[in-house]
Amino acid sequence: MRNTTLEENIALWRERIGNASARWGGAEICAVTKTVDVDTINRAVAAGLTTLGENRVQEYLSKADRLDPAAHVHLIGRLQTNKVRQIVGRVAMVQSLDRDELAAEMSRRAVAAGIVLPALIEVNIGREPQKGGVDEDELPAFVRRAAALPGIRIDGLMAVMPFVDDPEEVRPLFRRMRGWFERLRDEDLPNAPMRVLSMGMSGDCIVAAEEGATMVRLGRALFGERPSKTEIQGG
C-alpha cells in the first residue's frame, strides 16, 4: 500500500473538517508549520493551505523570506513583548494575545509602523496554570480594553484545550468557547468584529469543528510526527 502524498492528505483533512463544520458554514485549516521545512510548507501552500501557524518568532523569521508569497502567517505561540517589534508587519495575525502589556506593545509598534495588526484573544478555557490565556472571568473586560487600543483589531478568540486521550472529554469546553465567541460577537464592540474562533488541533479538530470552530490548527495530521512533541499552540 503506497504512502499518502501531502497533497492527498491535505485534501482528505479539508473534506473531514468541511463535513464536521458544515452546520456552521465551514472551518478553515491553519497549517501548523513548526519544524517543517520550507519546501514542504510551500507545497502545502500550493495545495491551497495559505494560512500558516508558526509558534516561535525566530524560527519563523528564518523561513520568512523563502515562503510562497501567497502564505498568510499567523503567530500562534506565546509572544514575548520584546519580540513584538520583530513580527509587526511580517505576520498576518497574532493568535495569542493574552495580557495587557502585550496588547500595549502590539499597539505601540503597529501605530509606529502605520498598520493595523489583527489579533485573537487567547482564552485559557481549561484554566490550566501552565498555559497562557485569559481566564473566562476576565475575558469580556480584557476584550474591551484591547479593542480600545489603536493599531490592533480584535478579530476573535483562540483556545488550546487540555490534552486528553478522548476528545469527547473536551467537547463541553469547545461548546463554551463557541458561546463566548457568539456573545462577544453579538455585543458588536467597536474594533472587535469577532470573525475567527480558532480552536482544535490534530487530536481533537473534528470535535472542535462540530462545535463551531471557524479555524482549526493542524500540524501532525498534515505533516506527520515532528522531531519533538512539545508543540504548544497547534499540532
Side-chain angles (χ1 to χ4, degrees), residues 3 57 62 89 134 155 178:
N3 292 329
V57 170
S62 74
V134 179
D155 275 1
R178 180 71 196 198

Side-chain angles (χ1 to χ4, degrees), residues 83-95:
K83 297 289 180 69
V84 172
R85 62 181 177 80
Q86 297 177 268
I87 56 93
V88 166
R90 304 205 69 181
V91 298
M93 178 179 286
V94 172
Q95 290 201 21

Side-chain angles (χ1 to χ4, degrees), residues 121-166:
I121 305 296
E122 182 178 355
V123 184
N124 190 341
I125 194 70
R127 293 185 169 170
E128 297 178 275
Q130 76 277 19
K131 288 183 180 176
V134 179
D135 188 270
E136 284 182 274
D137 296 339
E138 302 296 325
L139 180 58
F142 182 76
V143 170
R144 292 186 182 92
R145 291 197 302 272
L149 295 172
I152 59 176
R153 185 181 69 236
I154 307 306
D155 275 1
L157 306 176
M158 184 269 263
V160 181
M161 296 299 157
F163 291 103
V164 293
D165 291 331
D166 181 0

Side-chain angles (χ1 to χ4, degrees), residues 9-24:
N9 202 30
I10 288 170
L12 175 65
W13 279 101
R14 291 176 94 171
E15 181 179 11
R16 288 174 175 170
I17 296 300
N19 290 339
S21 61
R23 66 176 285 225
W24 304 99

Side-chain angles (χ1 to χ4, degrees), residues 37-200:
D37 66 88
V38 172
D39 287 345
T40 301
I41 295 171
N42 286 340
R43 280 178 60 196
V45 174
L49 293 186
T50 55
T51 299
L52 311 178
E54 283 283 337
N55 287 76
R56 296 170 178 154
V57 170
Q58 292 311 123
E59 181 185 345
Y60 163 56
L61 293 177
S62 74
K63 303 173 181 175
D65 293 337
R66 294 175 291 145
L67 292 177
D68 187 319
H72 305 286
V73 177
H74 293 195
L75 205 296
I76 62 175
R78 189 167 175 83
L79 179 58
Q80 298 174 345
T81 54
N82 64 358
K83 297 289 180 69
V84 172
R85 62 181 177 80
Q86 297 177 268
I87 56 93
V88 166
R90 304 205 69 181
V91 298
M93 178 179 286
V94 172
Q95 290 201 21
S96 51
L97 175 55
D98 65 351
R99 55 202 189 279
D100 287 298
E101 61 267 33
L102 178 58
E105 181 65 4
M106 287 168 55
S107 170
R108 185 173 76 87
R109 295 287 183 176
V111 168
I115 66 169
V116 173
L117 178 59
L120 304 183
I121 305 296
E122 182 178 355
V123 184
N124 190 341
I125 194 70
R127 293 185 169 170
E128 297 178 275
Q130 76 277 19
K131 288 183 180 176
V134 179
D135 188 270
E136 284 182 274
D137 296 339
E138 302 296 325
L139 180 58
F142 182 76
V143 170
R144 292 186 182 92
R145 291 197 302 272
L149 295 172
I152 59 176
R153 185 181 69 236
I154 307 306
D155 275 1
L157 306 176
M158 184 269 263
V160 181
M161 296 299 157
F163 291 103
V164 293
D165 291 331
D166 181 0
E168 288 297 329
E169 294 180 36
V170 290
R171 186 181 290 273
L173 298 183
F174 285 125
R175 195 168 293 165
R176 222 155 71 214
M177 280 298 303
R178 180 71 196 198
W180 277 115
F181 176 69
E182 291 180 351
R183 286 197 292 276
L184 290 165
R185 182 192 60 194
D186 292 347
E187 284 191 28
D188 200 23
L189 296 170
N191 203 37
M194 290 290 157
R195 294 180 288 229
V196 180
L197 177 57
S198 174
M199 60 182 188

